[in-house]
Amino acid sequence: MFLTCEGTFGIVPATMDYNGDAGPGHFHAGYQEIEGINLGYLQINGTQMFALAQVLSDLFKDIPRTTISKKMETLKIKSRRCDLQELRTLKAINSVPTRAVKCSLISKADLEALCTSCKSLSPRR
């Protein structure tokens, strides 16, 4: 169900260290196939974080956003706002539109829980 696709895609290598140091904000970008859809992620402090905008537009495109919001609330899934460097990286790997000025991230574990919870809601699952 969850396959990791590491390698070059677009203009940012999947395992590129964006900052190049081990301090705060150290992360790298990659792609993972989830439910047959290639989603970009940031590996931040050992956790894969996915752009909520891409999750909603690509993975749950057939489900109303209010329904997804209610599921997230029920499952106690919290998103976190990404910082400027993270946003730029997500734009570079085409996970969010270049016009985006902000983005929220959810963890892989939360995304898996959301996928499981929404399986019965989408006609293509």
Side-chain angles (χ1 to χ4, degrees):
M1 180 165 137
F2 291 90
L3 304 171
T4 301
C5 299
E6 299 284 354
T8 303
F9 186 81
I11 61 173
V12 177
T15 57
M16 176 184 172
D17 288 330
Y18 192 84
N19 282 355
D21 62 14
H26 180 72
F27 59 89
H28 72 262
Y31 296 89
Q32 182 157 2
E33 186 177 322
I34 298 176
E35 301 286 333
I37 296 169
N38 228 12
L39 297 177
Y41 69 86
L42 299 177
Q43 184 89 13
I44 304 171
N45 297 325
T47 303
Q48 280 185 335
M49 303 292 287
F50 294 86
L52 189 55
Q54 185 181 31
V55 168
L56 293 173
S57 67
D58 294 357
L59 195 59
F60 298 126
K61 64 182 173 188
D62 300 326
I63 302 172
R65 291 185 183 214
T66 53
T67 303
I68 298 296
S69 283
K70 288 176 186 174
K71 287 279 186 188
M72 288 178 66
E73 192 174 307
T74 301
L75 296 168
K76 297 184 180 2
I77 294 175
K78 301 280 187 205
S79 61
R80 81 155 182 87
R81 186 69 47 95
C82 63
D83 65 27
L84 186 57
Q85 284 185 321
E86 293 165 349
L87 179 62
R88 286 179 179 158
T89 302
L90 289 168
K91 287 179 182 183
I93 64 172
N94 298 315
S95 288
V96 296
T98 55
R99 67 184 182 279
V101 293
K102 60 185 177 181
C103 179
S104 295
L105 302 170
I106 64 170
S107 70
K108 180 181 177 182
D110 287 342
L111 180 56
E112 289 173 344
L114 193 58
C115 283
T116 300
S117 180
C118 292
K119 273 197 187 294
S120 62
L121 300 176
S122 180
R124 63 187 169 112
R125 300 212 196 304

